[in-house]
Amino acid sequence: MRNIFDSHAHYEDAIFGEDCWPVLDGLQRQGVSRVLNCCSDMGVVPRVLEIARRYDFVWASVGVHPHWTPETPADYLDGLRRAAQDPKVVAIGEIGLDYFWDDPKDLQMRIFCEQMELARELGLPVIIHDRDAHQDTYQVLERYRLPGVVHRFSGDLDGLRRVLDLGMYVSFGGDITHPQYRDMPLKAIEHTPLERILLETDAPYATPYAQGQRRCDSSMLPEVVEVIADIKKISCQELCDITYQNACRAYHIPE
Ligand SMILES: [Zn+2]
């Protein structure tokens, strides 16, 4: 397989450390043509920009993940606005709500909405994190109606319809290869038009099943491609090509 676009990875993550460089150096040889390196808190913004500047095939987003909202400095919006001036920054993310952990919900909601407003001001798409917070997340998405991606989609079919009605993309990763999680994501894939599907690893986190406990990177996407191509009854290469074009469109990246 070639022409793979990993629409959501975290090569700035401490789990990679300095090992991110050899991993990134090898990706194009393994069929990965593009990576969107997604930011998760203010502390890693410089590293995210450094990675995107070093590689022609890597783009970046900037934003604060709901889990990191308690550590967020008061002037964070100025920092994001400044970082977004970099030509490799093509989205605001990942932002959203996470009710799995115990972070204060009102703080998460305030920082989510402030970043939605920033994305609207800057004319950038958003990358949405929604964990166990579906209804509140969809309400915010419906209030702002911004273009973007809901990553590692985990809602039900009604939620999927609401997201698709907004014109947003939905991304799927290694979760769909795990027998214990598959049912709902597989149904969601069935009901998502091909032109709205993106591939992602959420590297180093969403490791495909056959890789066991290993740290995940973008070269592991073929296992995810096989599952989706099978559901959609097209070849793996067709799926790579279509999802590549989808991600370029979603993030306004030249093909
Ligand atoms: Zn992520």
Side-chain angles (χ1 to χ4, degrees), residues 5-26:
F5 194 137
D6 186 352
S7 70
H8 189 121
H10 300 280
Y11 286 105
E12 83 291 351
D13 195 287
I15 291 176
F16 284 109
E18 291 308 303
D19 202 29
C20 72
W21 308 120
V23 173
L24 283 157
D25 286 344

Side-chain angles (χ1 to χ4, degrees), residues 8 10 38 65 94 129 151 200 202:
H8 189 121
H10 300 280
C38 190
H65 182 294
E94 60 186 289
H129 174 101
H151 108 100
E200 66 158 300
D202 206 11

Side-chain angles (χ1 to χ4, degrees), residues 102-116:
D102 283 332
D103 308 299
K105 290 184 181 177
D106 50 348
L107 178 64
Q108 291 190 45
M109 183 58 91
R110 175 168 71 75
I111 290 190
F112 181 21
C113 291
E114 286 172 353
Q115 293 182 96
M116 290 294 277

Side-chain angles (χ1 to χ4, degrees), residues 7-8 95 126-131 134 137-138 141 147-155 159-160 162-164 166 168-172 196 198 200 251:
S7 70
H8 189 121
I95 63 177
V126 290
I127 302 170
I128 302 298
H129 174 101
D130 161 23
R131 188 171 188 191
H134 305 316
T137 302
Y138 302 148
L141 298 181
V149 182
V150 177
H151 108 100
R152 285 176 83 171
F153 182 81
S154 58
L160 179 70
R162 291 169 74 176
V163 167
L164 293 175
L166 290 167
M168 300 184 81
Y169 294 83
V170 186
S171 63
F172 298 99
R196 299 284 195 90
L198 305 187
E200 66 158 300
Y251 295 138

Side-chain angles (χ1 to χ4, degrees), residues 65-211:
H65 182 294
H67 187 48
W68 301 107
T69 48
E71 282 88 28
T72 301
D75 61 348
Y76 80 101
L77 284 170
D78 292 335
L80 291 179
R81 208 175 270 115
R82 247 192 325 275
Q85 297 310 308
D86 189 293
K88 293 305 279 293
V89 173
V90 294
I92 297 297
E94 60 186 289
I95 63 177
L97 300 171
D98 193 320
Y99 296 168
F100 180 79
W101 307 102
D102 283 332
D103 308 299
K105 290 184 181 177
D106 50 348
L107 178 64
Q108 291 190 45
M109 183 58 91
R110 175 168 71 75
I111 290 190
F112 181 21
C113 291
E114 286 172 353
Q115 293 182 96
M116 290 294 277
E117 274 161 33
L118 179 69
R120 184 159 63 190
E121 169 197 322
L122 298 173
L124 291 174
V126 290
I127 302 170
I128 302 298
H129 174 101
D130 161 23
R131 188 171 188 191
D132 299 342
H134 305 316
Q135 297 309 319
D136 288 357
T137 302
Y138 302 148
Q139 275 173 23
V140 172
L141 298 181
E142 284 163 351
R143 177 160 14 124
Y144 288 94
R145 311 189 74 82
L146 299 179
V149 182
V150 177
H151 108 100
R152 285 176 83 171
F153 182 81
S154 58
D156 62 13
L157 290 182
D158 182 58
L160 179 70
R161 186 190 49 73
R162 291 169 74 176
V163 167
L164 293 175
D165 280 352
L166 290 167
M168 300 184 81
Y169 294 83
V170 186
S171 63
F172 298 99
D175 314 76
I176 65 168
T177 63
H178 289 252
Q180 70 269 40
Y181 305 132
R182 303 181 66 144
D183 285 3
M184 189 46 227
L186 295 195
K187 274 207 198 74
I189 292 164
E190 224 182 287
H191 286 82
T192 304
L194 260 176
E195 64 273 13
R196 299 284 195 90
I197 294 177
L198 305 187
L199 306 174
E200 66 158 300
T201 54
D202 206 11
Y205 299 109
T207 308
Y209 187 64
Q211 304 285 341

